[in-house]
Amino acid sequence: MTANNSFIANQFSLLSKLLELHGDNPFKVRAYSSAARLIDKLPQEISKLPPGKLASIKGIGDSVAKKIKEIFDYGEIKALTELVHKTPPGVLEMLKVKGIGAKKIAVIWKKMGIENVGELLYACNENRLTRYSGFGEKTQEAIQESIEYYLNNIGSYLYARVEDLAAALDQILKKQFKKYQFFQTGDIRRHLEVIDKLEWVTDAPAASLQSFLEKNNFAAEKLDAEQSIFRGKSDNTQLIFYHASSGQLYQKLFLTSGSEEFLQAWNKKSRFKKSESYASEEEIFSSAKVKFIPAYLRETAEIIERARKNDLPVVIQPEDITGIIHCHSKWSDGLNTIEEMAEVAIEKGLQYLVISDHSKTAIYANGLSEERIQAQHEQIDELNKKLKPFRIFKSIESDILNDGSLDYPPDVLARFDLVIASIHSNVKMSEDKAMARLLNAVKNPFTSILGHCTGRLLLSRNGYPVRYNELIDACAKHNVAIELNANPRRLEIDWRHINYCLEKKVLISIDPDAHSTGAFDHTRYGVLAAQKAGVTKANNLSSFSLKEFEGFLKKQHVKRK
């Protein structure tokens, strides 16, 4: 194998980082790190040096020279390959994030139990790093900024990360090209959780777009009469423009705003002529005698039949949220006091707040001991007297332990108004193991809401496998609501499985899992996901009025007896 100096230097750099990560001899770590820097600066390619001369170069030595020979002979450093196999892929990816050294990654992995970039970012959002030596608030902020910069250059983004960018670009395009029309379309119009491209339908010519966008740090990847594609030079954002004549704009908008299943079903039963011109998308639907279907609902064939029968749901809206369920205060790993969170909820016109700090097993999150529970409840009682008629409910996000039991004995669980049961540890499980834990937790008479039903983190962790219908059936049987965690990195239960919840009359609870008052606004992303499943205000627990919510809790308390 012919390897250049840059490749060889990178191999030694990675070797030094992995040795440090695994706690090897600091002398070896420094030696290989120094060799990497030296090799990268050599004026001559190592592959062209005479045999035997390599080891004589100051800073190389016999050990490094032997490993370089391994690269030429076998294409690898065997010790490095062994270390790579011993290291989780997500931890290896962390090493690519600038600003996080191997020493800190070792703590993050081995002490915090975090194994990939997405989990690390989520931990920063939950203020978890500051509980460890060497990780103050500034360090945590710097790590978060580094991760966000790194993720910005991958090409796939959370909806929440790109919606403002998409809206800003939309305004810029419309201002720059006033005589042409632009309509946002594609995945972002359908409110999908993960976006890998921003799309428009336009009658603007490709050449005009190219001239403007190339001046604004975008490179053209494809230009033709049908479609133009551009890529951001600094952040890898992909822009796609579908070109159409002014008379064909709405037809093109329709054809780029639905899932493949939806469009195939439409073409079978409601075919329109390609040459037809429409003045609006509404006209496309009315001409087919189908009630207008918003783009976020254009996912299944079934929705077309429902629209044909005038049976579309009146979906939930952000303003339908009446209370914040599932939030964490300074008592565990939140950034705000309970009173601060209540005051912001009152300012937003909400009726109640459910404080659900972590339970005792969550040591990493300062989970509540039984003694601290009593103190917290006394504080909540005082605040409820002060803030009446607003009400703060006493809750806990109880860890689901390995056998499916909850984190406190029944006499302690009975002191809470409601219990959210979630898995936080040992998330690498078979489907059978995951189902056993979840089903046992759902059967527990103190469980009111099932949280984190798969533990997924979008773009970083798929979550444990579950049999959704079986889990939903159990929630229906035991009167347990299922959380739609509105944190834009979670958005679970996945909206694709909510239809079965609605069929079984299982309540959805759109909850922000807020670790600060600012995270209350995450609720909106949960609402957007819920809309895709046709969730109505009546289907969502956090849309219940205070009186209705108290009624729900009374029914929950009956099953405890």
Side-chain angles (χ1 to χ4, degrees), residues 129-185:
L129 271 62
T130 56
R131 303 194 177 278
Y132 292 83
S133 176
F135 291 85
E137 283 190 25
K138 288 185 178 179
T139 300
Q140 181 173 266
E141 287 174 9
I143 288 173
Q144 185 168 349
E145 287 176 6
S146 295
I147 294 171
E148 287 173 348
Y149 179 83
Y150 170 76
L151 293 175
N152 272 346
N153 288 276
I154 291 176
S156 292
Y157 308 92
L158 300 178
Y159 177 93
R161 286 185 62 79
V162 295
E163 64 167 341
D164 288 343
L165 170 63
L169 283 172
D170 190 59
Q171 291 302 310
I172 290 169
L173 290 165
K174 288 172 178 175
K175 184 177 180 180
Q176 178 68 25
F177 301 97
K178 292 181 179 178
K179 67 178 183 178
Y180 297 111
Q181 297 184 76
F182 290 85
F183 298 101
Q184 277 191 290
T185 190

Side-chain angles (χ1 to χ4, degrees), residues 460-487:
S460 56
R461 187 172 75 198
N462 289 331
Y464 35 86
V466 301
R467 296 187 288 275
Y468 280 98
N469 285 10
E470 185 180 343
L471 183 59
I472 293 165
D473 285 342
C475 289
K477 179 179 178 180
H478 297 283
N479 192 25
V480 171
I482 296 182
E483 179 176 75
L484 198 175
N485 190 298
N487 185 298

